[in-house]
């Protein structure tokens, strides 16, 4: 057989099959493939609770940047997305967080940045010098002065615009801001997308400490979807690239889900107004219903002073209620099963043995918000299975928030315990938020500026499949090199 003819045939096949090498294609107005960070990994309830405690301390201290985590309580799961940065574009895996305001990634020369990840992904350090579209942001430029409400002390024309965040648990991130091209995916048809570039200012991480320097859960950075002008969605909206609205649907059954920027037209979502002048996405909670009975609580239970309203946080795993609410809720939940023997796991989780269908044996819990918006949580959602010494036990996901803050204040915070498997819509233009129960492994419909409506499908970035594709790509490169030798 003629080797030159065979080589040309194989090269033709590789060219026609280039889509085989393209993984994690996203679909939507602007969409992100998301991945369930700890799905299937060994879980620790202590580590899960510690994650939430650290996060709440950051919230209570009004920190600029917070760690976000999403997932099933039984998996201690979080979610992350893949984005492209720079020219030429390189892929970065960033944790999606609706509670923080900036995008930042670890940079070349970073001190104490993790060099590897236990998530099965390859970490990448961003280098401004390697991107032809990057530019440094200085302290006297508009972005810096608007972010800090004026010039930083000691600002001179050649001083970089710095960022520094110290969290309640002692971990920190610091660095400087840069401006560069970010590659996203824009919808071009039903379940079809094409690359789209935008220019954003983001943090170039120069030093990390504490949890941010840990290798076991390491990612390249954090992608904040907060309301501040410094957030990526605010910048893109100001540039006329997108509408200032986004939605996520996190799948805690199959992993991954949907994360899209744009106007969602299907499914229809009922909404409620956001509490104004709050650092997070806060809403007005009116009452809680358990099995058809409304909990008897003081009228000001959910108005906790400066931090008004109930926090909707896709970065917290469990759901946290003020002590008074928690103490009223738990007896109601257990009232249908008076014979259960309760025990405490890891000194903090109420667990029990139960062999029946929990949806038949325990009541539903419904939160009623301002604007006639409700959120129903079923027993199989607020109870989760934990394997204790190979004997399955059910544990309660509701937590008492009284011990979550250093100043002793309590809060109402609803995390992924109640938000997973629901489409959650954030409309920052109208200052509303809403949700509906949904199958997050299917698709939603979004409308673009022309009025065309397209389907946006679910994605699941798989570290295992990524490694397989990477190895396959390496094989193809070696094969092409061999064919090049025969051809030339």
């Amino acid at each position: 057989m003629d080797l030159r003819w065979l080589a040309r045939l194989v090269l033709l096949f590789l060219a026609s099959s280039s889509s085989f090498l393209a993984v994690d294609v996203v679909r939507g107005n602007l969409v992100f493939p998301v991945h369930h960070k700890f799905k299937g990994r060994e879980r620790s309830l202590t580590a899960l609770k510690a994650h939430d405690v650290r996060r709440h301390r950051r919230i209570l201290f009004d920190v600029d940047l917070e760690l976000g985590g999403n997932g099933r309580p039984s998996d201690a799961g979080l979610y992350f997305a893949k984005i492209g940065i720079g020219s030429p574009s390189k892929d970065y895996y960033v944790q999606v967080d609706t509670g923080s305001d900036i995008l930042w990634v670890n940079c070349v020369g970073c001190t104490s940045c993790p060099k590897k990840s236990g998530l099965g992904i390859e970490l990448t350090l961003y280098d401004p010098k390697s991107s032809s579209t990057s530019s440094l942001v200085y302290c006297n430029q508009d972005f810096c002065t608007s972010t800090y409400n004026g010039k930083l002390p000691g600002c001179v024309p050649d001083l970089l615009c710095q960022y520094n965040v110290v969290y309640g648990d002692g971990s920190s991130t610091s660095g400087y801001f840069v401006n560069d091209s970010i590659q996203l995916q824009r919808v071009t048809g039903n379940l079809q997308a094409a690359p789209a570039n935008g220019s954003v200012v983001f943090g170039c991480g120069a030093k990390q400490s504490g949890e941010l320097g840990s290798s076991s859960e390491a990612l390249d950075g954090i992608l904040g979807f907060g309301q501040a002008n410094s957030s990526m969605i605010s910048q893109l909206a100001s540039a006329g690239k997108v509408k200032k609205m986004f939605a996520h649907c996190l799948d805690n059954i199959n992993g991954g889900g949907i994360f899209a920027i744009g106007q969602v037209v299907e499914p229809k979502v009922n909404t409620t107004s956001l509490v104004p002048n709050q650092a997070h996405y806060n809403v007005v909670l009116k009452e809680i219903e358990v099995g058809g009975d409304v909990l008897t609580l003081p009228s000001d239970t959910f108005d906790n002073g400066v931090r008004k309203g109930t926090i909707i946080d896709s970065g917290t795993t469990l759901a946290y209620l003020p002590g008074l609410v928690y103490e009223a809720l738990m007896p109601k939940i257990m009232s249908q099963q008076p014979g259960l023997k309760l025990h405490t796991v890891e000194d903090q989780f109420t667990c029990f043995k139960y062999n029946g269908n929990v949806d038949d044996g325990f009541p539903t819990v419904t939160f009623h918000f301002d604007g006639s918006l409700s959120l129903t949580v079923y027993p199989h959602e607020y109870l989760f299975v934990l394997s204790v010494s190979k004997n399955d036990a059910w544990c309660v996901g509701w937590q008492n928030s009284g011990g979550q803050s250093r100043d002793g204040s309590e809060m109402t915070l609803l995390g992924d315990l109640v938000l997973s498997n629901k489409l959650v819509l954030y409309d920052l233009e109208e200052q509303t938020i809403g949700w509906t129960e949904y199958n997050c492994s299917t698709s939603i419909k979004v409308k673009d500026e022309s009025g065309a409506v397209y389907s946006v499908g679910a994605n699941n970035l798989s570290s295992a499949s990524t490694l397989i594709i990477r190895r396959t790509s390496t094989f193809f490169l070696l094969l092409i090199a061999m064919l090049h030798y025969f051809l030339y």
Side-chain angles (χ1 to χ4, degrees):
M1 179 179 292
D2 187 345
L3 288 178
R4 291 177 180 269
W5 176 85
L6 176 61
R8 290 190 176 94
L9 182 62
V10 173
L11 284 175
L12 179 62
F13 167 78
L14 293 177
S16 64
S17 305
S18 60
S19 61
F20 176 78
L21 297 178
V23 295
D24 305 325
V25 176
V26 295
R27 301 174 172 89
N29 284 33
L30 283 180
V31 294
F32 301 89
V34 290
H35 172 63
H36 188 273
K37 186 175 179 182
F38 291 111
K39 183 172 177 58
R41 300 181 63 195
E42 183 178 355
R43 54 188 179 268
S44 165
L45 292 183
T46 298
L48 181 151
K49 189 71 170 290
H51 160 78
D52 284 354
V53 169
R54 289 193 299 270
R55 180 175 180 81
H56 299 166
R57 287 175 177 171
R58 294 162 193 168
I59 290 176
L60 294 172
F61 276 78
D62 296 325
V63 181
D64 292 336
L65 185 65
E66 306 152 79
L67 288 178
N70 310 310
R72 300 177 65 184
S74 56
D75 286 332
L78 300 174
Y79 291 83
F80 60 87
K82 185 176 74 172
I83 60 174
I85 300 177
S87 301
S89 179
K90 294 183 179 179
D91 290 335
Y92 297 85
Y93 294 90
V94 290
Q95 199 163 311
V96 178
D97 181 17
T98 60
S100 63
D101 291 319
I102 68 169
L103 161 66
W104 64 268
V105 293
N106 294 321
C107 284
V108 169
C110 174
T111 303
S112 301
C113 280
K115 294 180 172 55
K116 61 180 181 179
S117 173
L119 302 176
I121 62 174
E122 184 176 344
L123 299 179
T124 302
L125 293 175
Y126 171 75
D127 184 359
K129 295 181 180 179
S130 68
S131 173
S132 62
T133 51
S134 71
S135 61
L136 301 177
V137 177
Y138 296 95
C139 64
N140 60 346
Q141 292 180 319
D142 290 343
F143 177 87
C144 196
T145 57
S146 63
T147 298
Y148 294 108
N149 296 317
K151 285 189 178 181
L152 294 173
C155 177
V156 294
D158 294 331
L159 183 66
L160 293 176
C161 183
Q162 306 283 336
Y163 81 89
N164 181 47
V165 178
V166 179
Y167 299 115
D169 64 345
S171 64
S172 65
T173 174
S174 60
Y176 54 93
F177 286 108
V178 298
N179 189 315
D180 205 346
S181 175
I182 181 171
Q183 186 178 94
L184 306 172
Q185 297 289 328
R186 181 182 180 185
V187 68
T188 57
N190 286 324
L191 304 180
Q192 296 178 354
N197 292 328
S199 179
V200 299
V201 176
F202 58 92
C204 187
K207 184 178 181 180
Q208 317 296 2
S209 69
E211 292 295 318
L212 296 180
S214 170
S215 294
S216 61
E217 304 172 8
L219 290 166
D220 292 317
I222 293 177
L223 174 57
F225 269 85
Q227 303 184 63
N229 292 333
S230 58
S231 71
M232 186 189 72
I233 188 170
S234 294
Q235 293 185 59
L236 291 175
S238 296
K241 297 285 186 180
V242 299
K243 287 183 176 293
K244 203 172 182 181
M245 54 183 67
F246 65 94
H248 62 66
C249 196
L250 304 177
D251 188 347
N252 69 359
I253 299 174
N254 302 309
I258 303 169
F259 201 109
I261 300 176
Q263 182 179 358
V264 177
V265 294
E266 189 179 319
K268 298 295 182 181
V269 176
N270 293 327
T271 62
T272 186
S273 297
L274 292 169
V275 178
N277 303 318
Q278 297 295 305
H280 305 281
Y281 295 108
N282 293 33
V283 292
V284 176
L285 176 60
K286 294 291 190 180
E287 59 185 20
I288 300 177
E289 181 183 337
V290 183
D293 297 328
V294 176
L295 294 182
T296 302
L297 299 167
S299 59
D300 62 348
T301 299
F302 303 111
D303 185 359
N304 53 351
V306 177
R307 303 177 186 91
K308 294 181 180 296
T310 294
I311 300 172
I312 304 298
D313 183 16
S314 66
T316 294
T317 309
L318 303 173
Y320 295 82
L321 306 171
L324 186 65
V325 180
Y326 178 81
E327 291 168 4
L329 175 70
M330 288 299 291
K332 286 283 189 180
I333 287 178
M334 296 298 175
S335 63
Q336 297 181 20
Q337 304 295 334
L340 284 180
K341 294 182 179 180
L342 305 181
H343 61 276
T344 302
V345 174
E346 299 183 10
D347 298 324
Q348 53 195 333
F349 291 90
T350 299
C351 301
F352 53 86
K353 290 280 294 181
Y354 187 77
N355 296 322
N357 185 330
V358 292
D359 285 331
D360 295 332
F362 295 85
T364 59
V365 178
T366 303
F367 295 84
H368 295 280
F369 298 90
D370 196 20
S372 301
L373 178 66
S374 63
L375 178 64
T376 299
V377 188
Y378 299 96
H380 71 269
E381 294 174 326
Y382 67 74
L383 299 174
F384 58 95
V385 176
L386 175 71
S387 179
V388 181
S389 301
K390 297 184 179 180
N391 293 320
D392 287 339
W394 288 93
C395 294
V396 181
W398 305 115
Q399 299 294 303
N400 188 332
S401 67
Q404 300 304 307
S405 65
R406 291 179 175 178
D407 59 7
S409 63
E410 296 184 329
M411 61 182 169
T412 307
L413 188 151
L414 303 181
D416 270 351
L417 179 80
V418 301
L419 297 180
S420 290
N421 304 314
K422 294 175 177 65
L423 178 70
V424 184
L425 175 63
Y426 304 74
D427 189 338
L428 305 187
E429 296 182 355
E430 297 295 329
Q431 284 293 289
T432 61
I433 186 174
W435 48 75
T436 185
E437 294 182 22
Y438 205 65
N439 182 352
C440 297
S441 64
T442 56
S443 63
I444 63 174
K445 292 185 183 296
V446 297
K447 183 168 67 174
D448 65 15
E449 290 298 315
S450 69
V453 176
Y454 299 113
S455 295
V456 176
N459 295 273
N460 184 11
L461 288 174
S462 169
S463 57
S465 64
T466 301
L467 292 174
I468 292 173
I469 293 297
R470 187 180 299 121
R471 294 186 183 120
T472 306
S473 301
T474 302
F475 167 76
F476 277 169
L477 290 175
L478 290 174
L479 178 59
I480 291 173
M482 294 173 61
L483 293 175
H484 186 274
Y485 172 81
F486 285 113
L487 285 171
Y488 305 103

